[in-house]
Amino acid sequence: MFIISASKMFLCDEKFSILEDFAFVFDEVILEIDKIEILKRKYPNAKLIKTKPNSLILPAFINPHTHLEFSANAYTLHFGDFFIWLKSVISLRQNLSQEVKDELITQTLNKMQKTGTSTIGEISSFGSDLESCAKHSMRVIYFNEILGTDKTQNLQKKEEFLKRFEKAMAYKDDLFIPAISIHSPYSTNLELAKFAISLAQKHQMLLSTHFLESKAENLWLKKSSGEFKQWLKNFTPNPKPLYQINEYIELFRGLRTLFTHCVYLKEFELLDKNLHAITHCAFSNRLLSQKSLALKKALKSGLNIHLGTDGLSSNISLSMLDEMRTNLLIHKDFELNALAKKLLLMATLYPAKALNLNLGTLAVGKMADFSVFEVKECDNTQLPLQFILNAKEVQKLFIKGKECKF
Ligand code: MCF
Ligand code: FE
């Protein structure tokens, strides 16, 4: 049992409460929050953890959408237009992923922890990230990805997917949670999608999917036209989209699902406020989608909207702090200090709710996943914003009550 104190604490509750000169007792979970003198008297055997004088404690960040297998990308994939990017991924992904050895994935996970992240949602395209993720102290929701348009290859695709799925299941524990990703409505045919979704249902697993990310995808799904049509004509005489918008969403009815991007989604009412959430990847959208999510409108819909970085395949950093800074710059229709608080909740409380994890906020009974940062003297009204602007690396990070060494 431990006691830790700090001059400031962001509880990351709905009200965005900030406590001053408070402490808490924890083992794997937070047991009690109070003034340090009271806690020391009540828990005389608890070990005191030293922090620097100007310390801030907040819940560790949750990044629900990464692609670690693409971590070697720099100067390789093409940016500026989704279709150009997609073509570069299709031709280069094999080579790119072969460059990514276990060591690079471990280093990338360490770097994410250093920037305050305790939990990631890893979209695994090939399964080459499995061991490094399972053995790391990071909490990983491991989404095995399925995709394929050609029905004649379905049997082969299912067998290959099941092999990756079983391998992941063998590592299942508190910090490694297998899940399933249906890549997207333009890349995954109905039979494969249904197959993977029923597996998720059977094992009560989380689902994730890329959805309405680009103009090309929007035109294809809504008007059966655009670049997808031109490209697919090379393979079939009269190509048709695999789903209507509502048909695709319907597949995920009653199932906890993260819909990533949704830049072109207008039909927010089709998503389920209790089970469906939107992962907003602002930097990735700038590189690939030529459009940003209308955040104000999306939040007004009442859906859970949270942040993710996407992979280094469409970002230059997997730090949630960098991603928050990007969000500060692009969402100009918000008052800056109010946006800063919202973004911190979108990196903690909201993704925790979307993933149904008992963390993301500092409260009694919640998992002890938290970070300690050094800050400077600052008024509480400015602190959330100033923290996002200045913070780079943690002093300490705890996952399930255990301090991470990196
Ligand atoms: O989120 C971005 C952009 N949208 C779609 N897919 C990916 C992203 N980053 C990596 N990917 C992966 C995806 O998981 O690229 C492949 C899939 O394996 C594209 S489909 C050939
Ligand atoms: Fe992605």
Side-chain angles (χ1 to χ4, degrees):
M1 199 182 288
F2 301 92
I3 299 179
I4 193 162
S5 65
S7 47
K8 302 279 172 107
M9 263 185 217
F10 291 164
L11 297 187
C12 291
D13 53 353
E14 280 294 353
K15 289 187 297 182
F16 206 89
S17 314
I18 301 178
L19 301 186
E20 286 189 37
D21 298 318
F22 260 75
F24 58 82
V25 188
F26 66 98
D27 46 26
E28 285 185 358
V29 296
I30 298 175
L31 299 168
E32 198 164 339
I33 305 178
D34 212 324
K35 291 280 175 188
I36 186 128
E37 296 72 29
I38 297 174
L39 294 179
K40 273 202 232 166
R41 243 178 285 134
K42 206 165 162 189
Y43 300 87
N45 297 325
K47 194 167 173 257
L48 214 64
I49 295 171
K50 279 212 170 72
T51 51
K52 293 197 176 153
N54 270 324
S55 289
L56 165 73
I57 297 183
L58 74 160
F61 300 132
I62 300 164
N63 183 355
H65 193 97
T66 61
H67 297 263
L68 293 172
E69 291 164 308
F70 292 85
S71 294
N73 177 54
Y75 293 94
T76 310
L77 299 176
H78 301 183
F79 299 139
D81 173 80
F82 179 74
F83 220 74
I84 291 172
W85 175 85
L86 191 61
K87 284 182 181 165
S88 74
V89 172
I90 292 170
S91 64
L92 299 163
R93 65 181 163 170
Q94 219 65 42
N95 289 355
L96 255 184
S97 72
Q98 271 157 17
E99 277 179 51
V100 182
K101 304 276 178 287
D102 284 356
E103 201 187 331
L104 179 61
I105 294 187
T106 307
Q107 276 170 13
T108 311
L109 286 165
N110 290 348
K111 210 164 160 186
M112 274 191 269
Q113 288 188 332
K114 272 187 203 156
T115 55
T117 297
S118 72
T119 301
I120 65 163
E122 163 64 358
I123 313 296
S124 173
S125 305
F126 316 106
S128 59
D129 47 0
L130 176 64
E131 271 84 19
S132 352
C133 282
K135 289 177 184 156
H136 202 272
S137 58
M138 183 75 89
R139 175 182 284 99
V140 179
I141 320 296
Y142 188 79
F143 292 96
N144 265 307
E145 177 181 77
I146 194 160
L147 61 83
T149 48
D150 181 357
K151 285 188 207 153
T152 64
Q153 287 183 14
N154 277 0
L155 192 63
Q156 198 187 321
K157 290 271 178 184
K158 286 182 196 172
E159 279 172 4
E160 184 270 332
F161 176 82
L162 278 177
K163 271 191 202 147
R164 283 187 283 128
F165 179 85
E166 297 300 341
K167 272 193 184 171
M169 286 299 267
Y171 284 105
K172 186 176 173 185
D173 67 18
D174 269 11
L175 292 180
F176 184 84
I177 304 158
I180 291 177
S181 161
I182 316 296
H183 176 254
S184 74
Y186 58 83
S187 64
T188 317
N189 68 48
L190 182 63
E191 192 188 323
L192 287 183
K194 279 190 169 166
F195 161 77
I197 289 170
S198 58
L199 203 60
Q201 211 160 8
K202 183 173 153 203
H203 293 270
Q204 296 194 319
M205 277 176 177
L206 287 156
L207 282 158
S208 177
T209 186
H210 294 90
F211 191 45
L212 285 175
E213 171 179 14
S214 64
K215 195 171 170 185
E217 181 182 348
N218 194 43
L219 270 177
W220 176 232
L221 296 183
K222 289 186 184 157
K223 303 224 159 65
S224 310
S225 65
E227 287 166 297
F228 270 105
K229 179 148 192 148
Q230 294 315 315
W231 187 55
L232 290 167
K233 269 188 188 162
N234 296 328
F235 314 102
T236 16
N238 188 20
K240 289 261 159 17
L242 299 161
Y243 313 87
Q244 303 279 307
I245 301 291
N246 59 329
E247 287 170 348
Y248 192 66
I249 295 175
E250 188 58 29
L251 292 175
F252 300 90
R253 187 209 279 265
L255 300 166
R256 193 172 283 282
T257 308
L258 304 189
F259 290 83
T260 301
H261 303 308
C262 294
V263 176
Y264 287 84
L265 181 69
K266 289 209 174 83
E267 304 81 347
F268 291 113
E269 71 286 353
L270 295 179
L271 296 182
D272 180 337
K273 287 195 185 75
N274 295 316
L275 293 172
H276 296 161
I278 294 176
T279 310
H280 169 40
C281 305
F283 202 102
S284 172
N285 295 155
R286 180 67 185 100
L287 297 187
L288 311 186
S289 311
Q290 295 141 323
K291 195 173 175 236
S292 299
L293 180 74
L295 183 59
K296 218 168 218 176
K297 220 166 148 193
L299 286 167
K300 261 200 194 126
S301 74
L303 284 159
N304 176 320
I305 320 285
H306 55 265
L307 304 181
T309 58
D310 221 336
L312 292 172
S313 26
S314 55
N315 205 328
I316 49 165
S317 163
L318 301 182
S319 160
M320 290 298 274
L321 289 159
D322 286 337
E323 194 63 27
M324 281 186 260
R325 290 188 270 271
T326 299
N327 275 272
L328 281 180
L329 292 182
I330 65 166
H331 300 301
K332 298 193 200 96
D333 53 342
F334 285 78
E335 191 278 316
L336 198 56
N337 284 286
L339 178 59
K341 290 193 220 170
K342 197 72 185 172
L343 293 174
L344 284 161
L345 296 183
M346 289 169 76
T348 54
L349 180 66
Y350 298 169
K353 281 190 178 169
L355 295 164
N356 203 23
L357 296 171
N358 184 32
L359 38 104
T361 180
L362 300 181
V364 173
K366 292 286 168 187
M367 279 288 165
D369 274 32
F370 61 91
S371 57
V372 187
F373 280 86
E374 195 175 354
V375 289
K376 288 199 174 163
E377 204 61 55
C378 178
D379 189 84
N380 282 354
T381 55
Q382 281 279 315
L383 188 60
L385 173 64
Q386 300 284 350
F387 168 67
I388 295 178
L389 292 175
N390 291 291
K392 298 276 185 298
E393 289 194 356
V394 297
Q395 245 179 57
K396 292 176 188 292
L397 178 78
F398 291 81
I399 300 182
K400 220 180 140 196
K402 244 182 140 178
E403 186 169 356
C404 296
K405 304 269 173 252
F406 17 70

